[in-house]
Structures are given as structure tokens and as C-alpha cells.
Amino acid sequence: PEPLDLAALANQEPSPPKFILDDWLPVGYASLHAGHGGTGKSAITLTAAVSIAADIPFFGVPVERRRVLYWSCEDRAGVLH
């Protein structure tokens, strides 16, 4: 990538980050949800994925509708079903 021109950036107002899920899931970045086993990470993330794909608020938080890829490498079929 090109080096940052700090002098030019100092003369610009920064643009706020964009989110798919307000203050939680940023646009343009891969996200990792990590924690101890059995704490509900898969259920929460699957619920967020469905909310985003269907344009349904996630526990009352507005979402920006997007195509969703949920890649699970360890969940059993029953969890994903």
C-alpha cells in the first residue's frame, strides 16, 4: 500500500466508520467472535447472520441488509440446523 500522507490527513475531517450492525460489525472487515466453549457464540452469530440476510433488526438493533457467509469449522449439524 501507499504510505499515508499525514499532512494531508491532518487537513481532512475523518469519516466515521460504517457498520452493518451498529457499533458491532464493521463494513469491509472480517470478524471473529471468540470466547469459551458453550457460551453461545454460534447461536448469537447465526442469529446475527439471519438478521442481516433478512433485514430484520438484531435484538432491536437495526442492520444493513447484506449477503452473508457463515463459515463454521466446528459446529455440529444440529447447531447449524
Side-chain angles (χ1 to χ4, degrees), residues 34-79:
H36 291 288
T39 58
K41 297 177 303 292
S42 294
I44 291 169
T45 305
L46 281 167
T47 303
V50 169
S51 295
I52 292 164
D55 198 22
I56 300 168
F58 177 69
F59 295 105
V61 178
V63 299
E64 181 180 316
R65 186 175 190 183
R66 298 282 182 124
R67 290 183 296 171
V68 173
L69 170 65
Y70 180 86
W71 189 336
S72 174
C73 298
E74 59 183 31
D75 290 318
R76 300 171 312 282
V79 172

Side-chain angles (χ1 to χ4, degrees), residues 4-16:
L4 290 175
D5 182 347
L6 297 179
L9 287 176
N11 293 319
Q12 297 176 12
E13 191 66 32
S15 47

